[in-house]
Amino acid sequence: MKFATKVIHAGIEPDISSGAIMTPIFQTSTYVQQSVGVHKGFEYARTQNPTRNVLQNQLAALENGNFGISFASGLAATDAIIKLLKSGDHIISCNDLYGGTYRIFNKIYGKLGIQSTFVDMNTIQNISDAITPNTKLIWVETPTNPMLNLVDIEAVVKIAKQHNILVCVDNTFASPYLQTPLDLGADIVIHSATKYLGGHSDVIHGAIVVKDKAIADELYFIQNASGAVPGPQDCFLILRGIKTLHLRVQRACENAQKIADFLVAHPKVEKVNYPGLSTHPSHELAKKQMRGFGAMVSFSLKADTLAAADKVLSSTKLFSLAESLGGVESLIGHPATMTHASIPLEERKKTGVVDSLIRLSIGVEDADDLIADLEQALNA
Ligand SMILES: *Cc1c(COP(=O)(O)O)cnc(C)c1O
């Protein structure tokens, strides 16, 4: 099945009891058993829920995996993956990681004896140099936030295989429509389904997909044993969002390319970060690894001050100033004071997160209207 067919049909069957074409929201905590130990495969809703099962099967299909495991948030899914490890184990991760992932690695699992090393994965040698006998997991995020750098998944997998280390890829920014890391040899894919999979800024959700049954069984065990499960209504919203994933991401990518081209030509703009630009350092890798360049764009201003950025951020009318990404509506954000506020100034500037850097999550509105909005905000 091709992707556009999968989002509509994979893992989805009409409800057997009623014929309902849409997956019902099974809002129940428990299930009636015929006699002791005799039941329909459902005992208690932390462990099993029919709405969640359909979503998990759908997620597995989209990522070309065999098993999907759903969680209450992206970070709950991250938490479950770290729980595959034990005290004394070591994680290698990229240095421009999603802030919440950095926080759980350092502040929660650091004190429980799982150490993490953060390296610049643009140079693959940095990963080899960081490997210790205790390294059990390499955590890749690509494209990264907010500089939109790419990590070469196949190259990371090659090193990891030599050392028997698991590779997990956070595929939130790309979505499975643009990138399927399991096809490139990764062991685990994770999503903040809050973003493109849900796609409508109305639900928090996390997803993991794997191919290997042994890893899946451990993750299902952790899902039930630690209990960070999503409710059926949230699973339904993700299922509903996925039905238009390909259409939304396709349009958002087209808009993003037009907006990136507009920004490149604008006299007030210093630098535009978008993998779809031939000048972007990851452009060639993006063509190889992804099926499109994504819908996240960041740019800095010639006047590199907080005040200049603030002027733009407070002048847009269609772009809403807000955290998050991946919804149908376009958002604008300021990494230096929002997502990257906790990173010291010098560190921040080294990775390119300068004071005037502005991040855009491009939605599916009309590109001309979005460009006009940016034009008036830049000239404000
Ligand atoms: C939002 C996000 C997360 C965390 O997901 P939540 O659903 O907010 O818990 C993880 N990784 C990336 C890249 C994200 O953008």
Side-chain angles (χ1 to χ4, degrees), residues 108-304:
I108 305 286
Y109 283 98
K111 71 179 180 202
L112 295 177
I114 296 174
Q115 296 305 321
S116 299
T117 304
F118 303 91
V119 304
D120 177 358
M121 290 193 178
N122 285 309
T123 310
I124 291 294
Q125 183 63 35
N126 291 340
I127 301 176
S128 311
D129 293 348
I131 291 174
T132 75
N134 296 331
T135 307
K136 294 287 153 59
L137 178 66
I138 299 178
W139 188 282
V140 175
E141 196 178 306
T142 179
T144 62
N145 174 31
M147 301 310 291
L148 287 322
N149 288 317
L150 268 68
V151 176
D152 188 335
I153 298 171
E154 278 183 315
V156 174
V157 165
K158 197 165 158 219
I159 294 174
K161 289 256 154 77
Q162 287 164 8
H163 298 269
N164 232 342
I165 301 170
L166 290 176
V167 173
C168 174
V169 176
D170 184 333
N171 204 25
T172 301
F173 267 45
S175 90
Y177 180 59
L178 299 180
Q179 176 170 279
T180 32
L182 298 180
D183 293 340
L184 304 171
D187 302 286
I188 305 170
V189 172
I190 180 174
H191 280 276
S192 169
T194 311
K195 317 295 168 51
Y196 288 102
L197 292 172
H200 295 74
S201 308
D202 53 9
V203 58
I204 298 282
H205 196 97
I208 300 174
V209 180
V210 301
K211 279 191 168 163
D212 184 77
K213 178 153 190 324
I215 299 175
D217 285 345
E218 264 191 86
L219 287 168
Y220 286 126
F221 176 81
I222 293 164
Q223 181 192 41
N224 181 50
S226 287
V229 292
Q233 168 95 23
D234 289 355
C235 293
F236 173 85
L237 285 171
I238 301 296
L239 276 168
R240 182 179 172 129
I242 286 173
K243 291 179 201 299
T244 54
L245 177 67
H246 56 311
L247 305 172
R248 289 184 284 106
V249 176
Q250 181 69 46
R251 172 60 69 85
C253 288
E254 287 163 21
N255 285 351
Q257 184 76 49
K258 288 180 191 162
I259 287 166
D261 291 341
F262 157 77
L263 290 168
V264 165
H266 199 282
K268 291 200 174 160
V269 171
E270 172 71 20
K271 185 164 181 278
V272 182
N273 307 302
Y274 182 62
L277 296 171
S278 59
T279 50
H280 190 279
S282 302
H283 182 64
E284 289 307 315
L285 178 57
K287 283 203 281 191
K288 182 178 85 145
Q289 181 162 288
M290 299 174 72
R291 293 179 284 270
F293 300 113
M296 298 299 294
V297 177
S298 66
F299 64 101
S300 56
L301 301 172
K302 290 229 165 83
D304 184 30

Side-chain angles (χ1 to χ4, degrees), residues 36-102:
V36 179
V38 181
H39 52 74
K40 299 184 163 127
F42 299 93
E43 292 156 281
Y44 185 63
R46 176 170 20 79
T47 323
Q48 293 274 4
N49 178 284
T51 316
R52 192 171 93 206
N53 280 1
V54 171
L55 172 59
Q56 292 184 151
N57 292 337
Q58 163 81 217
L59 290 164
L62 298 188
E63 283 289 359
N64 297 333
N66 297 321
F67 305 95
I69 311 105
S70 263
F71 291 87
S73 70
L75 279 172
T78 303
D79 185 71
I81 292 169
I82 311 172
K83 283 176 176 149
L84 293 170
L85 276 50
K86 61 181 191 314
S87 175
D89 287 348
H90 174 239
I91 302 171
I92 298 173
S93 182
C94 24
N95 61 355
D96 48 354
L97 197 60
Y98 174 73
T101 310
Y102 180 81

